[in-house]
Amino acid sequence: MKQIKKLLVANRGEIALRVLRSAREMGIQTVAIYSEADRQALHVRYADEAVCVGGPQSSESYLRGDKILEVCRQLGVDAIHPGYGFLSENAAFARKVKEAGLIFVGPSPEAMELMGSKLAAKAAVADFDIPMVPGTEEAITDVEAAKVVARQVGFPILIKASAGGGGKGMRIVNAESEFEEQMQLAVSEATSAFGNGAVFIEKYIGSPRHIEIQVLGDEHGNIVHLFERECSIQRRHQKVIEEAPSSVLTPELRDQMGRAAVDVARACNYTGAGTVEFLLDENHNFYFLEMNTRLQVEHPVTEQITGLDLVKEQIRVAQGEPLPFQQEDLTITGHALELRVYAEDPANNFLPDIGTLTTYVRPQGPGVRVDDGFEQGMDIPIYYDPMIAKLVTFGKDRAEAIARMLRAIDEYQITGIQTTLPFGRYVLQHPAFVGGNFDTNFIRDHFTPADLIPSNDDEAEINKLAAVLSAMLLTEKKPQVAPATEAASVTGSAWKRNRLGLR
C-alpha cells in the first residue's frame, strides 16, 4: 500500500476544487498550482499550499510538467492528480511523474499511449469482439488510396484524426467529389491541434446517440462499470448536456455495453477511472468509439446515481487499494442531469464571451449541485476553456431531474456575460428531449438562434419595465409595490429577467 499524504492538483478551476475537496475529506494535505491569470482563483485559496508556475498561457503554466515536478520536489508532494485536460492524458508526463518516485492518480503511461491512438485502441480491443464502425484499421496518408477505401466503406464517410478529440481533425464527406479537399483539411487541422496528422476513415453514422460507460479498475485485476451517461446534446462535437442513465437503454443493452466497456479496459490493463465511448445508431446497434483515460467533465451524474465519489475511488486505487465492491453490488438510483454552463452566446453560434461576472448567485435547494470555480466580481479569463460551472440536478426519476434543472436555471443569476443557461432551458423544454427522441444532431435539427430571441410582446413588456426602472432612477425613489408586481410578472422568462437585471 502506498499512502498519499500530500497531493498536488495539476489543474485549475472547478475540477481543481472538486479534487481538493475530496482530498481534504480523506485527510490528505493539498497543493494547488496556478498561473498569473489565476492568482485570485478559488482553488488557490482553498488548497493548503499554492504555487505560481508561470504566465497566463497554458504553455507557460499548466502544461509545464517540469515546473510542476519541481514544485512537488520542493514541497514534499507524494502524488499528482491531473484532473482533465492539460496534462491528464499526457503519457510522457505520467511516466516522468513515476520516474520521480511520485504517484500519478490515473492509469499507466502504457494504457494512455495505447488508448490515446484511436487506431491502436481499435487494434487492442479486436480480440474481445467489440463492435466497431466499418472503416480503416490503420492511418492513411495517400489521398488516392484513401478514396478507394472510402468507396468500399460507402459515402457518407467520416475522416478523423487518430490522435484527436473534441471534434478537431474531423470531417464529414458526403460525396467523392469532396473527399480530397476534406482530407487535406482534416490532416492540416490534426497536425495543428495534436502535432500528428494521421487520419483514418469510418462509415458516417448519420443519426447516432453518444453513449459512454464509466469504468473503474484497480491494480489487482478488478474492473467494473458504473453504468452509462447519455451525452448526445452537443455543439461542435463537444458536449453541453449529459444525463445518467440514458432514456433509451434497456437493461439488456446496458449490460451488453457495460461488459464491452469492461473488456476495453481489460485490453489495456486499465487502472483508475476511465470512460469508454460508444455510438448508438437508430436501431440500437452500438459501436466502440474511443476510450478517455481520465476523469470526465460529466462524472458528477454518475456519482449522483451510484452514490460513489469517483475522485476518492481514484485516490484509493492509486494507493494500491482493491475496489471495495463488485459489479453485482452496483445499482442505479434515480436520475441525474448536467448542464455545462459556458461563457458562450448560444444566439451567436456559441461564440465564447469574456467579461466580468457582475452578478453571480448559485441556485440552491433539493437535488441541486454546482461545481464551479468562480464567484461574483471575478473575470472570465480568455486563456482557458470558457466553462464557468457544471450545474447538476438529481431526482427520483427523469421527470423530477428535468423539473429541478429548469428551476435551477431560473435561480442561477449570472449577468455581465452571455451563458448557455438559456440554451439549457430551451433543450429541457423541447418535446424531442423530454420524449427522449434525440441524437447528436439536436442543434442542427431543432435549434436556431431565433429560438432564444423574445417575441414582440416580450419586447414591449421589457421596454415598459425598463421605462419604469429608468423613472425610478431619475427620481431616486425606491421601488414600490406596483413596480415589484410588474417585475414579478416576468418570472416565467429567464431571458427577460436577465435582460432587466431582475435576477
Side-chain angles (χ1 to χ4, degrees):
M1 300 290 288
K2 303 160 285 188
Q3 186 67 37
I4 296 174
K5 297 180 180 179
K6 182 179 283 192
L7 177 73
L8 180 143
V9 181
N11 218 296
R12 63 178 299 278
E14 56 84 19
I15 186 56
L17 265 176
R18 166 74 190 86
V19 175
L20 291 168
R21 285 178 171 135
S22 286
R24 177 170 289 186
E25 290 180 12
M26 297 177 77
I28 297 172
Q29 292 291 301
T30 56
V31 177
I33 60 168
Y34 61 95
S35 71
E36 292 172 1
D38 280 337
R39 194 170 293 274
Q40 300 302 318
L42 297 187
H43 77 281
V44 176
R45 287 181 263 163
Y46 188 88
D48 297 309
E49 299 174 86
V51 179
C52 181
V53 290
Q57 299 285 351
S58 300
S59 59
E60 302 170 346
S61 51
Y62 297 107
L63 293 174
R64 288 296 302 271
D66 56 338
K67 290 187 177 182
I68 294 170
L69 288 172
E70 178 59 23
V71 170
C72 292
R73 188 189 65 80
Q74 292 176 354
L75 298 184
V77 166
D78 303 309
I80 294 177
H81 193 301
Y84 43 69
F86 296 132
L87 295 169
S88 63
E89 293 181 284
N90 188 312
F93 175 68
R95 189 168 282 114
K96 289 179 180 178
V97 170
K98 294 197 171 187
E99 289 171 353
L102 305 176
I103 297 171
F104 183 81
V105 183
S108 69
E110 293 75 21
M112 279 190 196
E113 288 171 336
L114 188 59
M115 291 296 152
S117 166
K118 292 182 175 66
L119 290 172
K122 287 187 173 186
V125 305
D127 292 339
F128 290 88
D129 199 27
I130 307 295
M132 302 282 191
V133 178
T136 58
E137 296 180 358
E138 57 186 23
I140 287 186
T141 55
D142 182 85
V143 174
E144 292 304 318
K147 281 184 183 178
V148 173
V149 174
R151 290 191 203 104
Q152 293 171 346
V153 171
F155 291 94
I157 59 101
L158 194 62
I159 302 174
K160 299 174 69 174
S162 177
K168 296 181 176 65
M170 182 184 297
R171 296 282 166 171
I172 300 170
V173 186
N174 293 300
E176 186 173 340
S177 59
E178 308 170 7
F179 185 85
E180 187 168 344
E181 179 186 4
Q182 294 301 319
M183 181 168 174
Q184 289 172 349
L185 288 170
V187 170
S188 176
E189 190 174 347
T191 302
S192 175
F194 312 112
N196 182 348
V199 298
F200 64 102
I201 293 171
E202 282 185 348
K203 176 67 178 175
Y204 177 63
I205 299 175
S207 301
R209 296 179 78 118
H210 188 137
I211 308 289
E212 61 187 30
I213 307 290
Q214 177 73 59
V215 295
L216 191 63
D218 63 24
E219 296 178 358
H220 307 277
N222 303 308
I223 302 175
V224 299
H225 70 83
L226 307 180
F227 312 108
E228 81 279 1
R229 296 186 288 257
E230 168 85 59
C231 307
S232 298
I233 305 297
Q234 305 178 359
R235 53 94 176 95
R236 296 191 295 273
H237 302 289
Q238 294 180 317
K239 306 159 192 172
V240 184
I241 296 175
E242 300 99 351
E243 63 179 310
S246 169
S247 61
V248 296
L249 261 61
T250 62
E252 294 76 19
L253 185 55
R254 176 174 296 117
D255 181 62
Q256 291 173 23
M257 296 182 73
R259 285 189 281 110
V262 168
D263 284 340
V264 170
R266 289 198 189 285
C268 63
N269 298 314
Y270 198 83
T271 57
T275 300
V276 182
E277 303 197 356
F278 297 96
L279 292 180
L280 185 74
D281 69 16
E282 60 270 24
N283 298 316
H284 288 188
N285 300 307
F286 65 91
Y287 305 96
F288 172 62
L289 186 62
E290 64 181 341
M291 183 177 192
N292 291 305
T293 55
R294 54 172 166 78
L295 197 66
Q296 291 280 88
V297 174
E298 58 273 18
H299 75 273
V301 295
T302 296
E303 294 184 324
Q304 296 297 118
I305 67 165
T306 61
L308 297 174
D309 183 322
L310 289 181
V311 172
K312 288 182 180 178
E313 296 303 332
Q314 283 185 298
I315 292 172
R316 292 184 182 116
V317 166
Q319 291 183 148
E321 298 178 34
L323 295 179
F325 43 75
Q326 297 179 341
Q327 191 66 58
E328 55 267 28
D329 300 321
L330 300 168
T331 57
I332 296 174
T333 301
H335 199 98
L337 292 164
E338 176 179 293
L339 168 63
R340 300 190 189 190
V341 184
Y342 284 108
E344 294 180 347
D345 185 358
N348 190 20
N349 198 31
F350 293 90
L351 288 179
D353 194 23
I354 59 172
T356 301
L357 292 171
T358 308
T359 306
Y360 187 75
V361 180
R362 302 170 186 87
Q364 300 180 34
V368 176
R369 166 179 170 177
V370 179
D371 285 16
D372 64 3
F374 290 94
E375 60 186 5
Q376 188 165 293
M378 293 180 69
D379 292 330
I380 304 298
I382 64 174
Y383 309 101
Y384 316 114
D385 184 273
M387 189 169 68
I388 301 170
K390 300 183 303 196
L391 176 57
V392 182
T393 58
F394 176 75
K396 66 180 182 296
D397 52 30
R398 190 169 188 261
E400 185 171 69
I402 290 174
R404 284 179 167 168
M405 180 64 79
L406 289 168
R407 169 179 66 79
I409 290 171
D410 273 350
E411 291 180 7
Y412 215 149
Q413 299 179 35
I414 301 178
T415 62
I417 57 167
Q418 298 295 324
T419 74
T420 49
L421 285 171
F423 174 73
R425 166 170 275 282
Y426 173 82
V427 173
L428 269 73
Q429 291 181 312
H430 196 282
F433 183 85
V434 174
N437 183 28
F438 60 93
D439 54 45
T440 56
N441 297 311
F442 180 92
I443 289 178
R444 183 197 70 185
D445 296 341
H446 302 296
F447 174 75
T448 65
D451 293 319
L452 299 183
I453 297 175
S455 67
N456 291 333
D457 290 341
D458 289 335
E459 285 286 4
E461 186 177 346
I462 288 168
N463 291 335
K464 177 183 175 182
L465 288 169
V468 172
L469 293 174
S470 296
M472 290 178 193
L473 291 173
L474 288 172
T475 57
E476 295 185 352
K477 292 181 179 180
K478 294 183 179 180
Q480 301 300 315
V481 174
T485 302
E486 289 199 62
S489 73
V490 300
T491 56
S493 169
W495 188 91
K496 286 183 284 186
R497 292 203 311 281
N498 212 15
R499 171 90 173 266
L500 288 165
L502 295 173
R503 49 178 302 181

